């Protein structure tokens, strides 16, 4: 066993498990002229000969790679397609065109892309099969504001929301109620074409109306909720007048609500969850077992402030190290989800690096060197905050390296400066962009 | 199964397990003229006939109840004794006198008590056996400042430290280096008497030099560290001049350091850990198993900001409820430790009530009613913050009760106003004072 090496291999194996290429190759095939999708023990089958056009559309950070996989699966059956992804997340495709757009703040390319997808959907009839590839990032990448709302208005709203403390559900509620395509509206637009949405989840709970703001799923939120969110964060005066008017008029009924469960728009829609954080966690657990660790998934729904959540991992590590844990050793504890960072300092970092740094600080302040304890936190998209690292890897030697370099990790933590610290100590964890995204993973080994 | 009732019974059973009366009756006895202490698989034995005087001393919130238990064990062997406890935590004793003093800010009664214990220790010789009962709260209750430092200085330092953000290790480092009795100094004072310290731990990690600021244990901290803590929190100008001088002069060697590992003062000392949070967690797990729950201790070393740590429990509950957890159902997950609350609002509450409220808010915002999920967070001392409750019990029905009462739990959470919320919804968990203290317990049931 070589725990630092093992952590690296377990993480990469888990990410490979949720790579769109391997996932789609494993789950989707064409058999006897039908497309067959196997997901979560269920099998879905659709006869391709019923359709004149088979079109692949897609949005999100993984959409180009998902498109590449679908080209391989569909081969000659594929008519054409268009996917919208984030700048720098393209792949080389043959029949499907790739558009790049702005994220997390939407831009004109996102609107152009959405208009194109809207036109394709409107032209589609019952002889068209749309395979819609959905992944995280789609909320910003696929934007078409309601009448009377400009791109600038939408950008301003997104900026205000990102700073407001509103969570992803709340942000998406407002996005859905100012959009012409989100909150299930795309399903209404593509009707009566047959639509199969293939969804890669990056959100905790895998709610289909939350991933990419719910393109082809019934919306659980309402104009009334959108209005109360504006009130809750006192945003009425801070967002553009046009958006406030849309929300207000929606409440009194002039603008139609987003489609709900049971709406006829969804009769021709099938939503299939292709992969999520849990799939990556389970692969990590299996790989851990193969390497000889007694492995357990603690949760795949983790949220919370990164530096505080770190203390939960430190607590479990401490018990294991003292031999008083219910978990057997050598232990691998796996968790996944998406934590948050409240920025108070001026440093550089990401939520995974911040969690790893808080874990280190907790041990350095209270405990003797921890030779048996190894902790990795990293994003499956290979991208932690505005840095070139996926996360950071904390091992026992790091304590001594920190001391010999005369660094003060607590000070770096106070300044949200985890990247600088791990860069100096050589403990950054880099994978490069993975073109998949199922949130973050935490892996804790105690020998 | 009746989960809310079961949570209550599991908690009370766990607290009973760490009740000083039952713990001491189970672990300590007099057999053939020897005192016999069984702890953690080890047996310690001391022939009482070697001693002329057998004296019980004690400090902390559980010291009166521990004294009561020792009276029962020692019977005629006991010569006399004195314990110092917090106001309102007395018990009716016969041979041992009980003094009450201020906590968490020390007062004159604490100094009087410490002087008395100091005198008893100085008078003791090799024919004296001191049984020292140590429990949480002792840092403030047992205070005798170094020369040149007044009670007012000590009170001011404690107040400044409580607001500074310094953790318990850091606070105790300063306490030990301004005290005549803490940081192991009492052991030096009572030498050559034989001293057996019987310790009930309320701190995460059970470090003997931290519980009650380490009365009879070698100190791991130094004057240099005390000085750097003052610097870290920029306290040099905010603490009394006399204390800054003690710390400064200590560093340059005029005042002797606290005794370290290997110091001859500890040759006559035996420290025995009587009970801790883990013992309560294990009893909770056993009682859960008896009631039919598949039970696991997640950690007994929990720290962190209560409202963020709540999200970890919510995440585990969510996975269990969705049937995607590695933990089997019906599940009881147990944890223990001591979280913290950063106060930003003006409401009333405690760390356990705040955690329970954050747990509820997490579910109410993101999820459908959770009929199968039940969560209790409470302090084993029966006392959560400045309230008359031990904690709060969140069950599925609470969601509807909250809605029907028109309450906004998120607003109560923002205002640190958990007590008011749980009082209005009838979900406070009250036990009354238990006169024991091993930190907090969290119990999560998912049916």
């Amino acid at each position: 066993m070589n725990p630092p090496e093992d952590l690296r291999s377990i993480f990469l194996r888990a990410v490979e498990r949720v790579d769109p290429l391997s996932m789609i190759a494993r789950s989707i095939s064409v058999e006897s002229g039908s497309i067959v999708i196997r997901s979560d023990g269920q099998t879905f089958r659709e006869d391709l000969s019923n359709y004149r056009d088979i079109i692949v559309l897609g949005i999100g950070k993984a959409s180009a790679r998902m498109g590449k996989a679908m080209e391989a699966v569909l081969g000659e059956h594929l008519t054409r397609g268009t996917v919208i992804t984030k700048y720098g997340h393209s792949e080389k495709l043959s029949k499907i065109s790739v558009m790049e757009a702005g994220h997390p703040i939407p831009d004109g390319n996102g609107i152009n892309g959405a208009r194109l997808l809207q036109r394709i959907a409107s032209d589609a009839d019952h002889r068209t099969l749309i395979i819609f590839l959905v992944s995280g990032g789609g909320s910003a990448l696929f934007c078409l504001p309601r009448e009377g709302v400009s791109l600038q208005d939408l950008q301003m709203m997104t900026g205000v929301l990102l700073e407001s403390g509103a969570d992803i559900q709340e942000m998406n509620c407002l996005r859905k109620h100012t959009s012409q395509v989100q909150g299930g509206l795309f399903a209404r637009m593509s009707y009566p074409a047959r639509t199969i949405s293939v969804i890669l989840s990056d959100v905790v709970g895998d709610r289909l109306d939350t991933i990419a703001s719910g393109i082809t799923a019934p919306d659980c939120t309402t104009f009334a909720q959108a209005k109360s969110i504006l009130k809750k964060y006192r945003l009425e005066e801070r967002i553009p007048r046009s958006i406030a008017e849309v929300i207000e008029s929606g409440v009194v009924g002039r603008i139609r609500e987003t489609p709900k469960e049971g709406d006829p728009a969804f009769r021709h829609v099938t939503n299939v969850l292709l992969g999520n954080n849990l799939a990556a966690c389970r692969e990590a657990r299996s790989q851990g077992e193969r390497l000889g660790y007694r492995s357990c998934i603690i949760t795949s729904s983790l949220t919370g402030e990164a530096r505080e959540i770190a203390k939960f991992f430190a607590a479990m590590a401490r018990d294991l190290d003292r031999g008083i844990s219910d978990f057997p050793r050598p232990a691998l504890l796996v968790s996944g989800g998406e934590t948050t960072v409240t920025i108070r300092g001026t440093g550089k970092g990401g939520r995974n690096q911040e969690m790893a740094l808080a874990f280190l600080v907790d041990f350095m302040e209270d405990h003797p060197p921890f030779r048996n304890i190894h902790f990795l936190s990293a994003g499956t998209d290979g991208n932690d905050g505005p840095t070139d690292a996926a996360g950071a890897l904390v091992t026992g030697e790091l304590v001594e390296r920190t001391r010999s370099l005369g660094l003060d990790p607590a000070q770096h933590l106070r300044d949200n400066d985890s990247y600088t610290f791990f860069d100096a100590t050589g403990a950054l964890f880099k994978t490069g962009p993975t073109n998949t995204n199922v949130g973050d993973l935490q892996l804790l080994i105690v020998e």
Side-chain angles (χ1 to χ4, degrees), chain A:
Chain A
M1 283 185 189
N2 177 345
E5 233 0 273
D6 293 344
L7 283 179
R8 187 173 297 271
S9 108
I10 293 166
F11 181 85
L12 294 177
R13 186 70 172 249
V15 168
E16 201 189 306
R17 171 65 183 76
V18 290
D19 182 308
L21 285 188
S22 62
M23 259 190 307
I24 286 180
R26 202 168 35 238
S27 310
I28 309 182
S29 56
V30 174
E31 299 171 16
S32 322
S34 288
I35 183 168
V36 181
I37 306 181
R38 294 182 177 83
S39 162
D40 224 358
Q42 297 194 307
T43 301
F44 169 83
R45 198 178 285 268
E46 184 78 25
D47 187 346
L48 295 177
S49 69
N50 292 336
Y51 301 100
R52 189 188 55 238
D53 290 321
I54 296 169
I55 298 174
V56 168
L57 304 179
I59 56 167
K61 291 189 209 170
S63 64
R65 199 158 173 85
M66 291 172 84
K68 187 173 181 179
M70 284 311 299
E71 282 190 344
V73 168
L74 289 170
E76 288 303 304
H77 296 284
L78 177 61
T79 312
R80 62 199 161 90
T82 301
V83 299
I84 312 171
T85 193
K86 184 177 174 173
Y87 294 113
H89 285 59
S90 291
E91 302 261 348
K92 207 170 148 49
L93 303 187
S94 48
K95 283 191 182 170
I96 299 172
S97 63
V98 181
M99 303 177 72
E100 294 193 333
H103 178 278
I105 303 281
D107 66 6
N109 282 354
I111 291 194
N112 292 339
R115 284 223 177 89
L116 178 58
L117 266 54
Q118 182 188 37
R119 197 160 57 243
I120 295 170
S122 308
D123 291 347
D125 59 14
H126 68 284
R127 297 268 287 155
T128 307
L129 172 63
I130 297 174
I131 297 173
F132 205 122
L133 310 173
V134 181
S135 58
S139 298
L141 294 167
F142 186 51
C143 66
L144 194 58
R146 296 205 181 203
E147 256 175 77
V149 178
S150 69
L151 172 62
Q152 287 69 26
D153 294 342
L154 209 62
Q155 290 172 328
M156 192 187 287
M157 177 182 84
T158 308
V160 168
L161 281 172
L162 284 172
E163 288 176 0
S164 68
D167 65 25
I168 185 73
Q169 315 276 1
E170 292 169 329
M171 284 187 56
N172 284 356
C173 173
L174 286 170
R175 282 162 159 165
K176 289 187 273 195
H177 285 89
T178 51
S179 166
Q180 290 187 44
V181 289
Q182 287 161 336
L185 286 169
F186 185 85
R188 200 173 269 171
M189 200 176 288
S190 62
Y191 188 88
R194 182 83 181 84
T195 300
I196 302 171
S197 279
V198 176
I199 302 167
L200 180 60
S201 170
D202 70 326
V203 303
V204 165
D206 303 326
R207 272 176 51 177
L208 298 184
D209 72 328
T210 301
I211 305 161
S213 289
I215 308 303
T216 57
D219 185 21
C220 299
T221 71
T222 62
F223 271 110
Q225 282 171 351
K227 198 179 167 187
S228 74
I229 291 164
L230 291 186
K231 201 175 155 198
K232 174 175 172 186
Y233 295 100
R234 300 198 179 88
L235 301 177
E236 297 105 320
E237 304 296 314
R238 296 181 54 212
I239 58 163
R241 188 89 213 97
S242 65
I243 288 178
E245 276 173 16
V246 163
I247 302 290
E248 184 63 38
S249 58
V251 172
V252 298
R254 202 162 56 83
I255 296 189
R256 279 198 302 178
E257 252 297 354
T258 50
K260 304 297 177 236
E261 191 75 53
D263 190 290
F266 300 113
R267 275 189 213 147
H268 289 204
V269 173
T270 301
N271 290 306
V272 180
L273 187 67
L274 179 69
N276 58 7
N277 188 272
L278 181 64
C281 284
R282 285 183 173 162
E283 183 63 32
R285 183 187 55 194
S286 300
Q287 179 67 1
E289 294 283 355
R290 277 189 288 270
L291 292 171
Y293 299 96
R294 302 174 76 177
S295 306
C296 180
I297 302 170
I298 301 297
T299 178
S300 77
S301 306
L302 193 62
T303 64
E305 183 74 16
R307 67 177 60 207
E308 299 300 324
I309 294 301
K311 295 177 187 169
F312 213 115
F313 289 102
M316 293 189 291
R318 204 171 282 147
D319 291 347
L320 276 160
D321 197 44
R322 290 176 67 199
I324 59 167
S325 176
D326 271 13
F327 300 106
R329 280 162 74 174
L332 169 69
L333 301 186
V334 177
S335 97
E338 185 174 321
T339 61
T340 47
V341 169
T342 303
I343 294 175
R344 296 202 177 82
T346 58
K348 182 176 176 184
R351 56 185 184 259
N352 288 290
Q353 292 160 67
E354 177 139 323
M355 193 191 291
L357 182 56
F359 183 91
L360 176 70
V361 166
D362 200 75
F363 271 89
M364 283 192 71
E365 286 192 342
D366 293 8
H367 299 271
F370 51 106
R371 296 235 158 265
N372 301 322
I373 297 172
H374 314 269
F375 181 67
L376 170 68
S377 184
T380 56
D381 59 359
N383 192 284
D384 188 34
T387 75
D388 61 357
L393 177 55
V394 171
T395 61
E397 306 90 74
L398 193 54
V399 172
E400 279 147 53
R401 222 177 311 148
T402 301
R403 292 208 174 109
S404 71
L405 289 166
L407 293 171
D408 180 0
Q411 180 55 42
H412 283 275
L413 183 59
R414 276 192 292 278
D415 205 23
N416 300 114
D417 197 28
S418 49
Y419 182 86
T420 309
F421 175 81
F422 286 118
D423 196 20
T425 51
L428 287 172
F429 182 77
K430 294 187 185 182
T431 62
T434 63
N435 283 10
T436 188
N437 180 16
V438 296
D440 304 328
L441 286 179
Q442 286 80 37
L443 305 174
L444 171 67
I445 284 181
V446 183
E447 291 171 74

